[in-house]
Amino acid sequence: MQSWRRKSLWLALSASWLLILLGFFPLLRLAVPSRPWAGTPQGWPHWLDAEFLQSFSQPRELLEDVPQPPQAPRGGSCDWGACFDTSKCKGGGLKVFVYPAAGLISETRRRILASIEGSRYHTSSPAEACLLLLLSPDTPAGECSPVPPHWNGGRNHLVLSLHPAPCPRTFQLGQAMVAKASPTVDTFRHGFDVALPLLPEAHPLRGGPPGQLQQHSPQPRVAQLALAEERGGWHTAGTNFSVCPWDGRCEQNHGPKLTHPGATLPNATFCLIPGRHPDALHFLQALQAGCIPVLLSPHWELPFSEVIDWTKAAIIADERLPLQVLAALQEMPLTRVLALRQQTQFLWDAYFSSVENVIHTTLEIIQDRILGVSAHPSLQWNSPPGALLALPTFSTSLSDFPFYHIQQGSRPVGRFSALIWVGAPGKPPLKLIQAVAGSQHCAQILVLWSSEKPPPPRWPETTVPLTVSEGHRKVSDRFFPYSAISSDAILSLDAHSSLSTSEVDFAFVVWQSFPERMVGFLTWSHFWDEARGGWGYTAERANEFSMVLTSAAFYHRYYHTLFTHSLPKALRTLADEAPTCVDVLMNFLVATVTKLPPIKVPYRKQNQEARPPLAPEGRGPRLEPQPPVRDCINQLAAGFGRMPLVSSRLRLDPVLFKDSVSVLRKKYRSLEKP
Amino acid sequence: MCASVKYNIRGPALIPRMKTKHRIYYITLFSIVLLGLIATGVFQFWPHSIESASDWSVEKRSVRDVPLVRLPADSPVPERGDLSCRMHTCFDVYRCGFNPKNKIKVYIYSLKKYVDDSGVPVSSTISREYNELLTAISDSDYYTDDISRACLFVPSIDVLNQNTLRIKETAQALAQLSRWDRGTNHLLFNMLPGGPPDYNTALDVPRDRALLAGGGFSTWTYRQGYDVSIPVYSPLSAEVDLPEKGPGPRRYFLLSSQMAVHPEYREDLEALQAKHGESVLVLDKCTHLPEGALSLRKRCHRHHVFDYPQVLQEATFCVVLRGARLGQAVLSDVLRAGCVPVVIADSYILPFSEVLDWKRASVIVPEEKMLDVYSILQSIPQRQVEEMQRQARWFWEAYFQSIKAIALATLQIINDRIYPYAAISYEEWNDPPTVKWGSVSNPLFLPLIPPQSQGFTAIVLTYDRVESLFRVITEVSKVPSLSKLLVVWNNQNKNPPEDSLWPKIRVPLKVVRTAENKLSNRFFPYDEIETEAVLAIDDDIIMLTSDELQFGYEVWREFPDRLVGYPGRLHLWDHEMSKWKYESEWTNEVSMVLTGAAFYHKYFNYLYTYKMPGDIKNWVDAHMNCEDIAMNFLVANVTGKAVIKVTPRKKFKCPECTAIDGLSLDQTHMVERSECINKFASVFGTMPLKVVEHRADPVLYKDDFPEKLKSFPNIGSL
């Protein structure tokens, strides 16, 4: 009884507590006049008659709107469709005529004109040209613009002003496109004008300094933030920028700060650049330095914004939300910081490092507009090696190029074409043909017969098709993009080359892992010759190398297209005149594209043929320690504006190469035979 | 109650006397409590039911019942749209304030019915599509019902179709919105702008600074970076079921399906048809069919009748020609059919062109080149055409399909402008899901050879093998490029030896103590690592020569985005068991390197610790095995590249160590490792490892060349 009572008492007690707890709040809510619940969104109402609502347009209205005749452009404003006549640009891509300089001109201007004239776009006939280029005067001494002779209301003209014009133009721009530095967003005509970067006075014409970034990730102790100063310098905030280094307003508050009046390049992870017009100059400095530009409401159009995806390399933020921007920078994931930093460097090298690059990029943009569907895809503009080195005339499919396989998840085609150049002695390289044809990866053999003697009527029977073509006197012809070449890989050979099937097989398998590089057997290395104050190169065997000889090398067929269609004529002529130079030139070209060294694979006859006689006519056996035309490398370095070659200290061998295990285990056993 | 408690304590003496009294007392108490509980229950649910009932009445009311607003004839009219507006001039970002989720907040004005002075309605209240659009916004993460927190305001005044509204009065209605403020931060949606006769390409309603999401902008009216160009929604999207048709050649090469085509253009199209015959099909409305709703879904060529939009699936390319307006609903139908649109509308700003790459999904032809269309299209390689077909269909699925898709894409674009650092990338906007899956974006994509001067940091993971550890430290310190040595002390029960006992080496040596004995501690991104290159080395690896290590570092410099290690291993597909197998035999191929000694970029430590997919990290720690296989998977997956094996070395067995029960231990070891591979492959959803047949040796390795002239003469043995 008692326990019953006690139990019920406890029950009653707890129940009344429950009552109070549960009952109090609802009672309170009843007592206080109810108001809309804060926090729980009401949302857009669900109408009872939502089903019966009328559509915004009658079906008939959508289908049968009144057709209108074509419209003419309004208010003198221009866009691509209205003001550019593409009918003049049929075939052969963009042909550019440059107005020759009249009167006294500055040295830089003369060199710029020369550079355009030497480029692949140039034509000397204004009638044939599809684009007429007028270089805006850059010095007050320069003649101030009489109307050019073929003006025609500015149609198909591009007025290029690299620097702000010193004198007012005396004629109307009319239908001409304008390419100028940092145009204001209000006057810029999208898809018609071209926005250029604001270049410093002393920007190099060609080549240009490489990006400053030496490592992928930011150094741990480097400042996180640098702020562009009005005087032109950079002002570095400490590693912690929780306090605002904004316009110098709270300067006194923050920790260690350094001002480098002399240093022009910032050393920080992020570079804050105000949106005012003169600060555009800082933008390029930040890019070069690998400092991620944080642009605060820029009032100017970003350079080449038509094709460059700036969100991959810079942060365009609103200057009115400084704290949010700073917080966002601090919280930015490492992966994004890495990507942004690397992109700044790629963009700098590909499009901004020299005046020539800037001009070529401008012309390439206009060419893309003309090409329409076959223009560069966005990926080519925005990933290495960049659109200037990826010719759209080669292919519109990304997997045909050697650069995008990883991004695309594709692989190069699994066969190669052997290209054998037969020079002066004119003896058919029968042994070589047999060795190459023996490779399971060989798709075809092409013989380029360039000897005075006629080719023999009979060629050995091979398992793969063999084609002989005649009459290639010029050395540079061996790098012509022959349409007969169907595979991605080319094995370039000389009649004197001596390779075994095993060597060919292994080298090709290696090439498949590195389709953008050259994979070769014999190497040269370049060096800086202090005594002569120039570059030199040597065929001596050494612990490192930077070139592989094209007398026996695998590379992608795209490089033939690039060699023939993108190199300035002057450089190709140089190679034709001094045939040893052609190897150096090809290596320069590939290194410019990849920024990496070529790859060396083992070669059996290394010892007997340390200096292979790879010369066709006139080259002679190369027995001297130095290749004969030593100045070739210096002329090429001048032509490229920099030394692109990179040295490597490794060789790729088969996994079990010369290991002390049974030969039977080894796949490439004949590679090891003495 | 207190009394009863007291009583309770007092004990049994009083019980008999108060027995019945108490019973009554308890019964009453109980019933009170019970009643109270019932009342509470009712209280709990009653107010709710009242509220939800009232909610119900608010939400589920009719559009006809919305409040009426009378606009005086002289109420203010906003300025015309300001063509110079940009985000940083006309948009008030302060309203968007700080938002940790980087999402703007959007407020929707409640629905009202506007009438002028004489009671004539300004427009029809709301269209079905606009109602859907507002519902989509309201259901999204962007929505807020708190006007004071909103960053963007969407009026409920429906301006989707300019034809259905009175321009001046609509403008007056806009101007009297409570937060109008010259239209700042207001977003209007309009799909059919302009009206006869001149059909402007932007909404004619004066709207001052308001943002316009418009369908049919031209370059003259579009404010780049401020307005948003949207598609004209095609009601057929909801009405007709059109199953997807894969890319590939189709019956017609070029098709024109529009009814209202200017005679000049129709002439051109018919000329094309005459020239190219069967492959070109130009359709028109059917004159001989009875009028009716159904005839809208029919198209005719001479006397052949075709079903629209099904006929679009029969063509590779479909013409989208400018009508009175630039924006055409047919674009949406064409994309849906996987037909590549050939857009012939000069100066038209294509939908979402700010973020979508239309070059990948369409062909844009100037109006004056209409007659060349056929040859232009024929010059496109088949592979590219198929790519475009796929892309077209994907654009429709992602951004055109429904009013909701259109609304959300618009808000996302505006959101990306306000929080640019959290913006969606080009690839996320443009790559179809299949491409996103198949593609790899290497985080270290820049071709770069880091300078030798930087050196590397060696990380030695140790438990208590102090003697062996000290030998490793002494050996590694002989490598010229070593810049720092980090010992990760993984033993919580024992302190590391005293400072004075450690070997004296020329570089800084740091000891890090860990909180738990876990294998993944070896791959933690310690702040102490200041170089990019990291050498992970076990505390019993003493057989590697200084030349071997130095060479390994040099190789890493040439391949900074790869794992560079010594003994290589291979994964193989076991056909009998249908699963992966781990292989450590003497093979000609390599797909992994052991991390008992391996160089890699320190970024991979960050990835291993924070971005390792699934439960792999915990799995490794629990099994105390396979951390190296996990690392190999991770790096190969993120870079798409193979490892680099350096020098002939095949195993790490130290000569002094005696194998305990070697064979069987080896057997279980192999089984475990195979299990790891299978487990990781299933977590990654793919087999990322790449097989190669090469290893890296010094240039002159085993060449007939004077040893003393070689850079790395002592490269070690197997």
Side-chain angles (χ1 to χ4, degrees), chain A residues 163 182 197-201 228 232 234 264-265 273 276-287 300:
Chain A
H163 302 282
S182 307
L198 185 57
L199 300 175
E201 289 293 333
W234 291 88
T264 45
L265 291 183
I273 299 164
R276 296 176 307 254
H277 212 266
D279 289 308
L281 207 54
H282 284 110
F283 181 60
L284 227 49
Q285 292 175 353
L287 271 192
W300 33 277

PDB file of all heavy atoms in Angstrom, chain A residues 163 182 197-201 228 232 234 264-265 273 276-287 300:
ATOM      1  N   HIS A 163      50.841  52.144 -75.974  1.00  0.00           N
ATOM      2  CA  HIS A 163      50.949  53.117 -74.890  1.00  0.00           C
ATOM      3  C   HIS A 163      49.915  54.198 -75.151  1.00  0.00           C
ATOM      4  O   HIS A 163      49.527  54.410 -76.293  1.00  0.00           O
ATOM      5  CB  HIS A 163      52.354  53.697 -74.849  1.00  0.00           C
ATOM      6  CG  HIS A 163      53.398  52.643 -74.674  1.00  0.00           C
ATOM      7  ND1 HIS A 163      53.659  52.059 -73.474  1.00  0.00           N
ATOM      8  CD2 HIS A 163      54.211  52.033 -75.583  1.00  0.00           C
ATOM      9  CE1 HIS A 163      54.604  51.136 -73.628  1.00  0.00           C
ATOM     10  NE2 HIS A 163      54.961  51.098 -74.898  1.00  0.00           N
ATOM     11  N   SER A 182      44.425  48.824 -71.180  1.00  0.00           N
ATOM     12  CA  SER A 182      43.467  49.051 -70.109  1.00  0.00           C
ATOM     13  C   SER A 182      42.350  50.020 -70.472  1.00  0.00           C
ATOM     14  O   SER A 182      42.220  51.076 -69.898  1.00  0.00           O
ATOM     15  CB  SER A 182      44.181  49.603 -68.876  1.00  0.00           C
ATOM     16  OG  SER A 182      45.234  48.776 -68.542  1.00  0.00           O
ATOM     17  N   PRO A 197      47.192  44.819 -72.177  1.00  0.00           N
ATOM     18  CA  PRO A 197      47.728  45.149 -70.861  1.00  0.00           C
ATOM     19  C   PRO A 197      48.449  46.492 -70.940  1.00  0.00           C
ATOM     20  O   PRO A 197      48.899  46.893 -72.017  1.00  0.00           O
ATOM     21  CB  PRO A 197      48.725  44.022 -70.608  1.00  0.00           C
ATOM     22  CG  PRO A 197      49.148  43.578 -71.967  1.00  0.00           C
ATOM     23  CD  PRO A 197      47.966  43.774 -72.869  1.00  0.00           C
ATOM     24  N   LEU A 198      48.541  47.170 -69.834  1.00  0.00           N
ATOM     25  CA  LEU A 198      49.305  48.411 -69.784  1.00  0.00           C
ATOM     26  C   LEU A 198      50.766  48.026 -69.599  1.00  0.00           C
ATOM     27  O   LEU A 198      51.157  47.514 -68.552  1.00  0.00           O
ATOM     28  CB  LEU A 198      48.810  49.282 -68.629  1.00  0.00           C
ATOM     29  CG  LEU A 198      49.428  50.664 -68.497  1.00  0.00           C
ATOM     30  CD1 LEU A 198      49.236  51.461 -69.775  1.00  0.00           C
ATOM     31  CD2 LEU A 198      48.802  51.414 -67.331  1.00  0.00           C
ATOM     32  N   LEU A 199      51.551  48.250 -70.648  1.00  0.00           N
ATOM     33  CA  LEU A 199      52.935  47.788 -70.612  1.00  0.00           C
ATOM     34  C   LEU A 199      53.850  48.882 -70.086  1.00  0.00           C
ATOM     35  O   LEU A 199      53.630  50.054 -70.371  1.00  0.00           O
ATOM     36  CB  LEU A 199      53.397  47.388 -72.024  1.00  0.00           C
ATOM     37  CG  LEU A 199      52.616  46.265 -72.694  1.00  0.00           C
ATOM     38  CD1 LEU A 199      53.108  46.072 -74.116  1.00  0.00           C
ATOM     39  CD2 LEU A 199      52.766  44.975 -71.915  1.00  0.00           C
ATOM     40  N   PRO A 200      54.875  48.508 -69.353  1.00  0.00           N
ATOM     41  CA  PRO A 200      55.850  49.516 -68.958  1.00  0.00           C
ATOM     42  C   PRO A 200      56.648  49.955 -70.178  1.00  0.00           C
ATOM     43  O   PRO A 200      56.697  49.240 -71.183  1.00  0.00           O
ATOM     44  CB  PRO A 200      56.731  48.782 -67.948  1.00  0.00           C
ATOM     45  CG  PRO A 200      56.536  47.340 -68.219  1.00  0.00           C
ATOM     46  CD  PRO A 200      55.176  47.184 -68.822  1.00  0.00           C
ATOM     47  N   GLU A 201      57.272  51.121 -70.092  1.00  0.00           N
ATOM     48  CA  GLU A 201      58.000  51.677 -71.231  1.00  0.00           C
ATOM     49  C   GLU A 201      59.047  50.698 -71.762  1.00  0.00           C
ATOM     50  O   GLU A 201      59.207  50.513 -72.946  1.00  0.00           O
ATOM     51  CB  GLU A 201      58.696  52.983 -70.818  1.00  0.00           C
ATOM     52  CG  GLU A 201      57.747  54.144 -70.583  1.00  0.00           C
ATOM     53  CD  GLU A 201      57.067  54.593 -71.877  1.00  0.00           C
ATOM     54  OE1 GLU A 201      57.656  54.402 -72.950  1.00  0.00           O
ATOM     55  OE2 GLU A 201      55.936  55.112 -71.789  1.00  0.00           O
ATOM     56  N   ALA A 228      49.589  47.484 -53.711  1.00  0.00           N
ATOM     57  CA  ALA A 228      50.172  48.369 -54.714  1.00  0.00           C
ATOM     58  C   ALA A 228      50.145  49.793 -54.195  1.00  0.00           C
ATOM     59  O   ALA A 228      49.130  50.260 -53.689  1.00  0.00           O
ATOM     60  CB  ALA A 228      49.402  48.253 -56.015  1.00  0.00           C
ATOM     61  N   GLY A 232      54.231  53.468 -57.219  1.00  0.00           N
ATOM     62  CA  GLY A 232      54.700  52.425 -58.127  1.00  0.00           C
ATOM     63  C   GLY A 232      55.324  51.260 -57.405  1.00  0.00           C
ATOM     64  O   GLY A 232      55.559  50.231 -57.999  1.00  0.00           O
ATOM     65  N   TRP A 234      55.674  48.468 -54.016  1.00  0.00           N
ATOM     66  CA  TRP A 234      54.785  47.545 -53.326  1.00  0.00           C
ATOM     67  C   TRP A 234      55.056  47.654 -51.853  1.00  0.00           C
ATOM     68  O   TRP A 234      56.170  47.917 -51.431  1.00  0.00           O
ATOM     69  CB  TRP A 234      55.001  46.114 -53.796  1.00  0.00           C
ATOM     70  CG  TRP A 234      54.548  45.895 -55.175  1.00  0.00           C
ATOM     71  CD1 TRP A 234      55.266  46.085 -56.303  1.00  0.00           C
ATOM     72  CD2 TRP A 234      53.248  45.480 -55.576  1.00  0.00           C
ATOM     73  NE1 TRP A 234      54.503  45.802 -57.392  1.00  0.00           N
ATOM     74  CE2 TRP A 234      53.257  45.430 -56.979  1.00  0.00           C
ATOM     75  CE3 TRP A 234      52.077  45.143 -54.899  1.00  0.00           C
ATOM     76  CZ2 TRP A 234      52.136  45.051 -57.719  1.00  0.00           C
ATOM     77  CZ3 TRP A 234      50.978  44.765 -55.628  1.00  0.00           C
ATOM     78  CH2 TRP A 234      51.009  44.720 -57.016  1.00  0.00           C
ATOM     79  N   THR A 264      60.629  46.247 -57.761  1.00  0.00           N
ATOM     80  CA  THR A 264      59.427  46.484 -58.540  1.00  0.00           C
ATOM     81  C   THR A 264      58.499  45.289 -58.480  1.00  0.00           C
ATOM     82  O   THR A 264      57.334  45.397 -58.779  1.00  0.00           O
ATOM     83  CB  THR A 264      59.779  46.758 -60.002  1.00  0.00           C
ATOM     84  OG1 THR A 264      60.747  45.790 -60.405  1.00  0.00           O
ATOM     85  CG2 THR A 264      60.344  48.155 -60.174  1.00  0.00           C
ATOM     86  N   LEU A 265      59.023  44.142 -58.114  1.00  0.00           N
ATOM     87  CA  LEU A 265      58.165  42.967 -58.095  1.00  0.00           C
ATOM     88  C   LEU A 265      57.821  42.589 -56.661  1.00  0.00           C
ATOM     89  O   LEU A 265      58.695  42.491 -55.817  1.00  0.00           O
ATOM     90  CB  LEU A 265      58.855  41.793 -58.781  1.00  0.00           C
ATOM     91  CG  LEU A 265      59.038  41.936 -60.286  1.00  0.00           C
ATOM     92  CD1 LEU A 265      59.667  40.698 -60.852  1.00  0.00           C
ATOM     93  CD2 LEU A 265      57.718  42.206 -60.972  1.00  0.00           C
ATOM     94  N   ILE A 273      45.364  45.259 -55.729  1.00  0.00           N
ATOM     95  CA  ILE A 273      45.552  46.301 -56.726  1.00  0.00           C
ATOM     96  C   ILE A 273      44.274  47.126 -56.816  1.00  0.00           C
ATOM     97  O   ILE A 273      43.221  46.599 -57.193  1.00  0.00           O
ATOM     98  CB  ILE A 273      45.895  45.690 -58.096  1.00  0.00           C
ATOM     99  CG1 ILE A 273      47.190  44.903 -57.975  1.00  0.00           C
ATOM    100  CG2 ILE A 273      46.013  46.767 -59.155  1.00  0.00           C
ATOM    101  CD1 ILE A 273      47.437  43.954 -59.102  1.00  0.00           C
ATOM    102  N   ARG A 276      41.899  51.925 -59.745  1.00  0.00           N
ATOM    103  CA  ARG A 276      42.147  53.143 -60.507  1.00  0.00           C
ATOM    104  C   ARG A 276      42.994  52.838 -61.731  1.00  0.00           C
ATOM    105  O   ARG A 276      43.732  51.858 -61.760  1.00  0.00           O
ATOM    106  CB  ARG A 276      42.866  54.172 -59.629  1.00  0.00           C
ATOM    107  CG  ARG A 276      42.073  54.648 -58.450  1.00  0.00           C
ATOM    108  CD  ARG A 276      42.941  55.582 -57.641  1.00  0.00           C
ATOM    109  NE  ARG A 276      44.210  54.956 -57.314  1.00  0.00           N
ATOM    110  CZ  ARG A 276      44.525  54.497 -56.104  1.00  0.00           C
ATOM    111  NH1 ARG A 276      43.665  54.570 -55.119  1.00  0.00           N
ATOM    112  NH2 ARG A 276      45.704  53.957 -55.887  1.00  0.00           N
ATOM    113  N   HIS A 277      42.893  53.729 -62.712  1.00  0.00           N
ATOM    114  CA  HIS A 277      43.510  53.445 -63.992  1.00  0.00           C
ATOM    115  C   HIS A 277      45.022  53.239 -63.945  1.00  0.00           C
ATOM    116  O   HIS A 277      45.533  52.268 -64.502  1.00  0.00           O
ATOM    117  CB  HIS A 277      43.127  54.527 -64.991  1.00  0.00           C
ATOM    118  CG  HIS A 277      43.035  53.979 -66.369  1.00  0.00           C
ATOM    119  ND1 HIS A 277      44.083  54.027 -67.241  1.00  0.00           N
ATOM    120  CD2 HIS A 277      42.048  53.299 -66.991  1.00  0.00           C
ATOM    121  CE1 HIS A 277      43.733  53.427 -68.350  1.00  0.00           C
ATOM    122  NE2 HIS A 277      42.507  52.975 -68.229  1.00  0.00           N
ATOM    123  N   PRO A 278      45.758  54.109 -63.301  1.00  0.00           N
ATOM    124  CA  PRO A 278      47.223  53.929 -63.341  1.00  0.00           C
ATOM    125  C   PRO A 278      47.686  52.636 -62.681  1.00  0.00           C
ATOM    126  O   PRO A 278      48.792  52.164 -62.957  1.00  0.00           O
ATOM    127  CB  PRO A 278      47.769  55.143 -62.583  1.00  0.00           C
ATOM    128  CG  PRO A 278      46.616  55.895 -62.081  1.00  0.00           C
ATOM    129  CD  PRO A 278      45.369  55.288 -62.554  1.00  0.00           C
ATOM    130  N   ASP A 279      46.863  52.064 -61.846  1.00  0.00           N
ATOM    131  CA  ASP A 279      47.292  50.861 -61.147  1.00  0.00           C
ATOM    132  C   ASP A 279      47.314  49.633 -62.047  1.00  0.00           C
ATOM    133  O   ASP A 279      47.743  48.557 -61.625  1.00  0.00           O
ATOM    134  CB  ASP A 279      46.376  50.600 -59.955  1.00  0.00           C
ATOM    135  CG  ASP A 279      46.621  51.616 -58.870  1.00  0.00           C
ATOM    136  OD1 ASP A 279      47.770  51.783 -58.492  1.00  0.00           O
ATOM    137  OD2 ASP A 279      45.651  52.247 -58.436  1.00  0.00           O
ATOM    138  N   ALA A 280      46.849  49.806 -63.268  1.00  0.00           N
ATOM    139  CA  ALA A 280      46.864  48.675 -64.189  1.00  0.00           C
ATOM    140  C   ALA A 280      48.286  48.161 -64.397  1.00  0.00           C
ATOM    141  O   ALA A 280      48.500  46.989 -64.681  1.00  0.00           O
ATOM    142  CB  ALA A 280      46.250  49.081 -65.513  1.00  0.00           C
ATOM    143  N   LEU A 281      49.244  49.056 -64.247  1.00  0.00           N
ATOM    144  CA  LEU A 281      50.647  48.667 -64.414  1.00  0.00           C
ATOM    145  C   LEU A 281      51.060  47.632 -63.371  1.00  0.00           C
ATOM    146  O   LEU A 281      51.844  46.732 -63.641  1.00  0.00           O
ATOM    147  CB  LEU A 281      51.519  49.923 -64.288  1.00  0.00           C
ATOM    148  CG  LEU A 281      52.857  49.921 -65.021  1.00  0.00           C
ATOM    149  CD1 LEU A 281      52.655  49.606 -66.493  1.00  0.00           C
ATOM    150  CD2 LEU A 281      53.536  51.255 -64.852  1.00  0.00           C
ATOM    151  N   HIS A 282      50.486  47.783 -62.183  1.00  0.00           N
ATOM    152  CA  HIS A 282      50.807  46.834 -61.112  1.00  0.00           C
ATOM    153  C   HIS A 282      50.330  45.427 -61.447  1.00  0.00           C
ATOM    154  O   HIS A 282      50.872  44.452 -60.958  1.00  0.00           O
ATOM    155  CB  HIS A 282      50.121  47.272 -59.815  1.00  0.00           C
ATOM    156  CG  HIS A 282      50.801  48.413 -59.161  1.00  0.00           C
ATOM    157  ND1 HIS A 282      50.263  49.665 -59.106  1.00  0.00           N
ATOM    158  CD2 HIS A 282      51.988  48.483 -58.542  1.00  0.00           C
ATOM    159  CE1 HIS A 282      51.086  50.468 -58.471  1.00  0.00           C
ATOM    160  NE2 HIS A 282      52.141  49.775 -58.116  1.00  0.00           N
ATOM    161  N   PHE A 283      49.296  45.388 -62.226  1.00  0.00           N
ATOM    162  CA  PHE A 283      48.678  44.110 -62.542  1.00  0.00           C
ATOM    163  C   PHE A 283      49.689  43.175 -63.196  1.00  0.00           C
ATOM    164  O   PHE A 283      49.839  42.012 -62.826  1.00  0.00           O
ATOM    165  CB  PHE A 283      47.487  44.365 -63.456  1.00  0.00           C
ATOM    166  CG  PHE A 283      46.730  43.147 -63.853  1.00  0.00           C
ATOM    167  CD1 PHE A 283      46.149  42.350 -62.892  1.00  0.00           C
ATOM    168  CD2 PHE A 283      46.592  42.793 -65.182  1.00  0.00           C
ATOM    169  CE1 PHE A 283      45.443  41.216 -63.247  1.00  0.00           C
ATOM    170  CE2 PHE A 283      45.888  41.670 -65.549  1.00  0.00           C
ATOM    171  CZ  PHE A 283      45.320  40.882 -64.578  1.00  0.00           C
ATOM    172  N   LEU A 284      50.412  43.722 -64.167  1.00  0.00           N
ATOM    173  CA  LEU A 284      51.382  42.920 -64.891  1.00  0.00           C
ATOM    174  C   LEU A 284      52.539  42.500 -63.995  1.00  0.00           C
ATOM    175  O   LEU A 284      53.041  41.382 -64.090  1.00  0.00           O
ATOM    176  CB  LEU A 284      51.900  43.722 -66.086  1.00  0.00           C
ATOM    177  CG  LEU A 284      51.944  42.983 -67.409  1.00  0.00           C
ATOM    178  CD1 LEU A 284      50.646  42.289 -67.688  1.00  0.00           C
ATOM    179  CD2 LEU A 284      52.288  43.931 -68.534  1.00  0.00           C
ATOM    180  N   GLN A 285      52.933  43.409 -63.110  1.00  0.00           N
ATOM    181  CA  GLN A 285      54.023  43.071 -62.182  1.00  0.00           C
ATOM    182  C   GLN A 285      53.615  41.904 -61.290  1.00  0.00           C
ATOM    183  O   GLN A 285      54.393  40.981 -61.064  1.00  0.00           O
ATOM    184  CB  GLN A 285      54.352  44.276 -61.302  1.00  0.00           C
ATOM    185  CG  GLN A 285      54.979  45.407 -62.065  1.00  0.00           C
ATOM    186  CD  GLN A 285      55.171  46.622 -61.181  1.00  0.00           C
ATOM    187  OE1 GLN A 285      54.727  46.660 -60.039  1.00  0.00           O
ATOM    188  NE2 GLN A 285      55.842  47.623 -61.726  1.00  0.00           N
ATOM    189  N   ALA A 286      52.399  41.967 -60.813  1.00  0.00           N
ATOM    190  CA  ALA A 286      51.930  40.901 -59.942  1.00  0.00           C
ATOM    191  C   ALA A 286      51.918  39.572 -60.692  1.00  0.00           C
ATOM    192  O   ALA A 286      52.339  38.542 -60.174  1.00  0.00           O
ATOM    193  CB  ALA A 286      50.544  41.231 -59.416  1.00  0.00           C
ATOM    194  N   LEU A 287      51.461  39.631 -61.938  1.00  0.00           N
ATOM    195  CA  LEU A 287      51.425  38.406 -62.740  1.00  0.00           C
ATOM    196  C   LEU A 287      52.814  37.806 -62.874  1.00  0.00           C
ATOM    197  O   LEU A 287      53.021  36.617 -62.688  1.00  0.00           O
ATOM    198  CB  LEU A 287      50.916  38.716 -64.149  1.00  0.00           C
ATOM    199  CG  LEU A 287      49.451  38.669 -64.442  1.00  0.00           C
ATOM    200  CD1 LEU A 287      49.252  38.726 -65.940  1.00  0.00           C
ATOM    201  CD2 LEU A 287      48.814  37.412 -63.901  1.00  0.00           C
ATOM    202  N   TRP A 300      38.883  49.308 -65.472  1.00  0.00           N
ATOM    203  CA  TRP A 300      39.376  49.019 -66.815  1.00  0.00           C
ATOM    204  C   TRP A 300      39.120  47.567 -67.151  1.00  0.00           C
ATOM    205  O   TRP A 300      39.030  46.718 -66.281  1.00  0.00           O
ATOM    206  CB  TRP A 300      40.863  49.339 -66.917  1.00  0.00           C
ATOM    207  CG  TRP A 300      41.627  49.118 -65.654  1.00  0.00           C
ATOM    208  CD1 TRP A 300      41.734  49.978 -64.594  1.00  0.00           C
ATOM    209  CD2 TRP A 300      42.378  47.951 -65.278  1.00  0.00           C
ATOM    210  NE1 TRP A 300      42.501  49.421 -63.605  1.00  0.00           N
ATOM    211  CE2 TRP A 300      42.915  48.191 -64.004  1.00  0.00           C
ATOM    212  CE3 TRP A 300      42.654  46.749 -65.913  1.00  0.00           C
ATOM    213  CZ2 TRP A 300      43.699  47.250 -63.338  1.00  0.00           C
ATOM    214  CZ3 TRP A 300      43.448  45.816 -65.250  1.00  0.00           C
ATOM    215  CH2 TRP A 300      43.956  46.084 -63.977  1.00  0.00           C
TER     216      TRP A 300
END
